[in-house]
Amino acid sequence: MTGLVVCVLVLAAASAFGVLQRRRSGRVGVRVRDGEKRLDAAELGEALGERATLLQFSSAFCAPCRATR
């Protein structure tokens, strides 16, 4: 009987975790404290995207990577 109770509790916990994970999946959280660190269109030199803007940083130092050849 104890094994059955443990099995039911584990299944219930796994199901609850799965439901919560699925609800949050694909959502991006915005932290309130980052308000002053955001770039605007004037700093980027381009218009911002409607929902998101991808900003990629690269340098000449990273370009010649001999380890990946």
Side-chain angles (χ1 to χ4, degrees):
M1 188 65 166
T2 303
L4 180 64
V5 171
V6 170
C7 184
V8 168
L9 288 175
V10 168
L11 287 173
S15 296
F17 175 77
V19 168
L20 289 174
Q21 184 68 19
R22 189 168 193 137
R23 287 187 70 194
R24 291 199 58 200
S25 179
R27 294 187 184 172
V28 177
V30 177
R31 295 187 299 189
V32 177
R33 63 182 174 189
D34 289 343
E36 69 273 356
K37 296 181 183 179
R38 295 192 180 171
L39 297 173
D40 60 2
E43 292 174 318
L44 292 175
E46 292 286 329
L48 297 177
E50 187 176 314
R51 294 184 65 196
T53 300
L54 174 66
L55 182 61
Q56 179 179 348
F57 295 99
S58 62
S59 71
F61 177 77
C62 296
C65 186
R66 293 186 182 106
T68 59
R69 287 186 189 173

